[in-house]
Amino acid sequence: MCARNAETVVEDYYEALRQGDQLSVYFAPDDSLVKFGISEQLTGYEEVAEGLREQTCHSKEWRITSHDLRVTERDDYAWFSDTVDMAWTDTTTGIRRSFSSRWSGTLENQDGWKFVAMHVSAPHTL
């Protein structure tokens, strides 16, 4: 992962997810790190890394389609938001999952941009 700016890191993360590559390298090794997924909350680097390893082991055929990526950088911090169509196959059940989702997060430049917070959610429709 050799990214020049925060936007490239977000795009590289999407591609790593599609390819089934290691994802924890995109996150800051920090106990205050937090990652919210559609069905979980992970706190601290070790918990996030383990959650991402489990996710990679139990999913395949990821489709990530970004629709409105917006990234802002200020000195050593950046934040992003996006609307993303996402889908994958659960390797445990064989079920194909898909969501129209919202992504947001914060990155810090620690000798390269790393996520310090990420939130992925699916809007609830009535």
Side-chain angles (χ1 to χ4, degrees):
M1 179 181 71
C2 180
R4 292 171 300 284
N5 61 43
E7 183 171 356
T8 302
V9 169
V10 175
E11 292 168 343
D12 288 352
Y13 180 80
Y14 291 170
E15 186 59 29
L17 187 53
R18 289 182 197 105
Q19 298 301 319
D21 294 341
Q22 182 181 1
L23 300 173
S24 60
V25 298
Y26 291 89
F27 290 83
D30 192 305
D31 289 340
S32 65
L33 170 65
V34 64
K35 180 183 178 293
F36 291 93
I38 290 176
S39 62
E40 81 275 338
Q41 175 183 336
L42 305 171
T43 55
Y45 179 79
E46 293 303 321
E47 192 171 304
V48 169
E50 178 60 26
L52 291 168
R53 277 191 294 276
E54 285 294 312
Q55 172 185 296
T56 300
C57 285
H58 298 290
S59 62
K60 65 179 183 178
E61 301 168 344
W62 276 86
R63 180 180 49 83
I64 300 292
T65 306
S66 169
H67 294 286
D68 192 24
L69 179 60
R70 296 168 187 257
V71 181
T72 302
E73 286 184 30
R74 297 282 190 270
D75 299 321
D76 289 335
Y77 293 93
W79 55 94
F80 79 98
S81 66
D82 201 357
T83 55
V84 176
D85 289 333
M86 57 192 285
W88 68 92
T89 301
D90 182 319
T91 60
T92 308
T93 64
I95 295 172
R96 185 82 177 153
R97 308 260 184 215
S98 64
F99 293 92
S100 294
S101 61
R102 302 172 292 202
W103 293 45
S104 63
T106 307
L107 300 93
E108 183 178 10
N109 193 350
Q110 304 176 352
D111 294 323
W113 291 100
K114 302 276 186 176
F115 293 109
V116 293
M118 182 182 285
H119 189 133
V120 177
S121 62
H124 179 70
T125 57
L126 298 175

